Amino acid sequence: EEEPREHREFSIRMRMTRSGQSVFEGETSTARMKRRFGDLIGYLMRDNLFPDGAFLLTGTGIIPPDDFTLAPGDQIEMDSPEIGLLKNEVVRG
């Protein structure tokens, strides 16, 4: 029997590159979250209506050192094999 979705654990990896060279890498798992997805969704939906749906953002738990600063052109990859890969390039606004 498949585990309920709110109990599944997902690995999360982050990689930042600058000029093709890795400048930061980190990894974690949703197993490290203090609250389960079902609990977070329950609190979100308790007093709010979302007829068109909602995004629940939990952060990644992967944090570069305090002295690290992103620069225009840096590439950030967030990867969770169970969910997919997200790639973004830093641009100056």
Side-chain angles (χ1 to χ4, degrees), residues 68-84:
F68 182 82
T69 302
L70 290 168
D74 286 358
Q75 301 286 321
I76 296 109
E77 295 182 0
M78 298 296 300
D79 183 33
S80 178
E82 299 85 355
I83 300 171

Side-chain angles (χ1 to χ4, degrees), residues 2-56:
E2 191 172 311
E3 190 174 359
R5 185 174 281 256
E6 65 271 11
H7 298 291
R8 291 187 194 162
E9 296 176 4
F10 299 94
S11 63
I12 304 168
R13 289 184 295 272
M14 178 169 62
R15 181 174 182 218
M16 296 180 187
T17 57
R18 180 173 294 149
S19 301
Q21 300 295 316
S22 179
V23 291
F24 179 80
E25 292 187 38
E27 186 171 345
T28 192
S29 169
T30 57
R32 298 189 65 207
M33 292 174 60
K34 296 197 182 287
R35 293 181 179 85
R36 295 185 181 271
F37 289 117
D39 296 334
L40 295 172
I41 293 166
Y43 283 109
L44 177 67
M45 304 301 273
R46 184 171 290 169
D47 290 318
N48 300 287
L49 298 175
F50 300 98
D52 297 319
F55 288 98
L56 175 63

Side-chain angles (χ1 to χ4, degrees), residues 50-65:
F50 300 98
D52 297 319
F55 288 98
L56 175 63
L57 306 176
T58 63
T60 64
I62 305 171
I63 304 167

